[in-house]
Each structure stands twice: as C-alpha cells, then as structure tokens.
Amino acid sequence: MSTPMLPERPPRSLTIEERLKELESIPLFMKSLPEEETDDPMISALQNLAHEGTPDEVAQNFKDQGNDYFKGKRYREAQGFYTQAIDAKPTDPVLQEAILCNRAACNLELKNYGQVLRDCSKALTLNPKSSKAYYRSALALLALERAEEALDCCDRCLLFDADNKGVQNERNLIAVSRKDASQNDFAPHFDPDDPTDSTLILPVFFLYPQYATSDVIPEFVEDTAFAAHLAVIFPPQANPPEWDAKGEYVDGKLVVYAMTHRKRLLKVGKKMTLRDTGSRRTGWKSKTGCLSFVVVPKGEVETKWVEEYKSSR
C-alpha cells in the first residue's frame, strides 16, 4: 500500500527585516549605488546621473525623473528620485525648495504625513514664502486631525499669497469644520419620516471658491437632488447674493463638484442626489460629519478653478 503524498507546505512568508532587505536591492531604494559597472539598465542610468555635471545639474536630472514618475502616479518611485536629488546636495536654494515640495507631494499621496511636515519645514527655512510648503503642510496637518495648526498654515500663506485658490479653499473647509465642531448644531441622523429608518440627513456645505465663501444646508436629505437646493439658493429672478459681484451664480448656469479624500474632482450632475454620489464611491471629503461640494459658474470660471485646483494638489 503506497503512502499518500502530503501536500507541499506553502513557502514561509518573509519577515519584515527580510522584506526590507529585499527592497534595498531595488535601484530606487538602494541606500547607495554600487561603484562597479553593472548590466542592470536602471542602476546604470542612476550611476550616470550621479556622476555627470555639477551637484545642481545632477539634482535637476533626478528631479526631472521624479516629475515623470509623479505624472504617471508612481509616487513611490518618484519619491526615490527626489531623495536622490536631495542627496546630490544641490546649492541652488530655489531648486532645493522645489525638490523638497515635490517629495512632500509624493508623501502626501503615500500618507507619510510626518515626512511631509519635515520636508515642508525645510522648504520654509529656505523660503519663508513657499506657498506649496504651507499648502502641503496644511493638508498633512488636517490628515493628522491638527486643524488649528492647519488653519495657521493657511493664514500665514494668505498673508503674502492672498489669491492662492487652493489655500483659500482649504482654509474655508477648515473654518467651516471648526465652527461646526464647536457648535455641533447639525448632527447627521436618520430621517424620522422614513419607515425603513435608512435615509440619512446630513449637513452639507456649498463652497464658492471664487469668493471664498459658502452656504450651509443644515439638513440635506440624501435622496434629494442637488438641483432642488440650487433652485432655492439661486433662483433666476431673485437678486444675487451680496458677495456675487458679477451676478454669475444663477440656477441653471452652475456646476457642482465633489472633492475626494485623494484630492480628485468628480463632476456632480444636478439631478444626482447625495445617495447617488455615494454609490459612485466618490470618497466624499467630509469634515466632522459635514460634506462639502464646490459650486462654480459654468464656462470660463469653472475651467479656471478646475485648473487651479489640479495644479495645487
């Protein structure tokens, strides 16, 4: 009688130390490049970059490589190139600031918020008026639930860069959040008229970044369309709000955007409801239980705001 064969045991998974050691064999994660020639094209390219030109030229080469990877959303590889650029010890403070801010952008995507703050702090030492450093510091601080410090970063930036839309938008969100957190007037709750006890009612903010102001809808029923609220706030025959200097905010001529946690934008159809946006997995940007949506006039204002928002991410 033959002995039945036992199934092979699965290979033992690597320990943390072994995994880290394995990562160090990848060119972008190497702590130092080998001095001898190699057949590996990536290592060879890095070696050439590391030895050609002045420190500023070498750093610029690494920065350009990092930019290419960042555009491709390969944030970890981009981070590696920016680190190589910093290690090249560039002497130009403008270049140093740019590299540090770029690496901070990578670490925001990778949720390495402590490293974001360290790089932004170094960038601000080089240039106390670095808008990108203040903005990315604010985003990292918000992610760490340090709203007061994030608001301070925004305020400091707006002292010398008052027209920075990205910082204005973030400051508005923080200010709204702090007000709601202290008063807590409108807590999310289920609709008492819904017999299934499943329809949510939430506070929602409509943000108007063109004028750095907002409206609050304290009880937005999740199955109500955005169009219903816009028609009430901006009826065509009514006088425009005091802040709408150009009279552009009129129902039927507006567009709504949702901002996700990963700083992406989603155009929201006016006939859509909160429930619809949730079903599309937008990753609502929520502040203490309050959802925020941007409302801008269609056309030139919309295009300009979208471009500014994307460039400030």
Side-chain angles (χ1 to χ4, degrees):
M1 182 176 179
S2 59
T3 304
M5 295 185 63
L6 295 175
E8 292 186 7
R9 298 180 67 179
R12 183 179 180 181
S13 59
L14 297 176
T15 65
I16 293 176
E17 290 77 13
E18 290 169 335
R19 186 71 184 99
L20 291 174
K21 189 69 176 178
E22 184 181 81
L23 278 176
E24 289 177 11
S25 66
I26 300 173
L28 287 179
F29 296 99
M30 288 180 170
K31 294 180 179 178
S32 61
L33 293 172
E35 296 183 1
E36 66 276 6
E37 293 185 6
T38 175
D39 293 331
D40 188 308
M42 177 63 79
I43 296 178
S44 179
L46 292 174
Q47 287 174 327
N48 289 334
L49 283 172
H51 294 95
E52 290 183 0
T54 65
D56 283 0
E57 291 171 338
V58 172
Q60 183 65 51
N61 284 334
F62 280 124
K63 175 177 173 288
D64 292 342
Q65 293 284 337
N67 291 349
D68 289 340
Y69 275 92
F70 189 90
K71 290 174 185 176
K73 299 182 181 180
R74 297 175 62 178
Y75 304 116
R76 196 167 296 282
E77 290 92 335
Q79 178 199 51
F81 276 113
Y82 292 138
T83 298
Q84 294 278 0
I86 292 168
D87 291 344
K89 295 182 171 33
T91 59
D92 180 0
V94 175
L95 178 59
Q96 293 177 47
E97 176 196 346
I99 296 167
L100 287 164
C101 287
N102 287 4
R103 190 168 72 171
C106 287
N107 280 309
L108 270 175
E109 296 290 344
L110 297 170
K111 299 184 179 181
N112 299 330
Y113 302 121
Q115 186 61 54
V116 173
L117 296 176
R118 286 189 286 273
D119 280 347
C120 288
S121 177
K122 292 176 184 177
L124 288 168
T125 300
L126 293 165
N127 176 16
K129 293 185 177 182
S130 175
S131 296
K132 287 184 177 179
Y134 274 120
Y135 179 67
R136 286 164 189 165
S137 292
L139 294 178
L141 288 165
L142 270 181
L144 295 170
E145 299 184 355
R146 293 160 60 179
E148 292 285 347
E149 294 167 84
L151 184 62
D152 182 63
C153 282
C154 293
D155 287 340
R156 288 173 183 268
C157 183
L158 293 173
L159 286 174
F160 61 83
D161 190 6
D163 296 327
N164 190 307
K165 298 299 183 184
V167 175
Q168 286 179 352
N169 292 343
E170 206 62 33
R171 190 199 183 284
N172 195 39
L173 281 169
I174 300 167
V176 162
S177 165
R178 290 170 71 246
K179 180 179 179 181
D180 178 77
S182 60
Q183 296 179 355
N184 198 26
D185 291 332
F186 314 115
H189 58 279
F190 287 110
D191 185 352
D193 296 326
D194 177 7
T196 66
D197 200 27
S198 61
T199 302
L200 274 175
I201 297 178
L202 307 97
V204 168
F205 287 93
F206 282 173
L207 308 179
Y208 316 121
Q210 188 182 7
Y211 296 103
T213 189
S214 63
D215 278 320
V216 60
I217 301 165
E219 295 194 336
F220 195 129
V221 182
E222 68 169 327
D223 56 9
T224 301
F226 281 81
H229 290 289
L230 291 175
V232 172
I233 300 173
F234 303 109
Q237 280 73 38
N239 292 326
E242 291 183 6
W243 49 263
D244 183 12
K246 299 180 180 179
E248 297 172 300
Y249 283 75
V250 180
D251 182 39
K253 299 180 180 180
L254 302 171
V255 62
V256 180
Y257 282 91
M259 298 175 292
T260 73
H261 286 293
R262 295 184 63 81
K263 306 297 290 181
R264 304 290 185 261
L265 288 176
L266 173 70
K267 201 168 187 176
V268 179
K270 290 190 299 179
K271 293 183 179 179
M272 290 178 63
T273 67
L274 282 180
R275 183 177 292 161
D276 292 332
T277 61
S279 67
R280 290 177 61 177
R281 300 178 184 274
T282 64
W284 286 330
K285 187 164 188 175
S286 172
K287 301 292 183 184
T288 62
C290 302
L291 302 179
S292 300
F293 296 86
V294 168
V295 180
V296 289
K298 294 178 181 177
E300 184 179 344
V301 173
E302 174 192 3
T303 301
K304 183 179 178 182
W305 178 77
V306 170
E307 290 175 351
E308 289 176 343
Y309 182 88
K310 289 181 177 180
S311 67
S312 67
R313 288 189 309 194

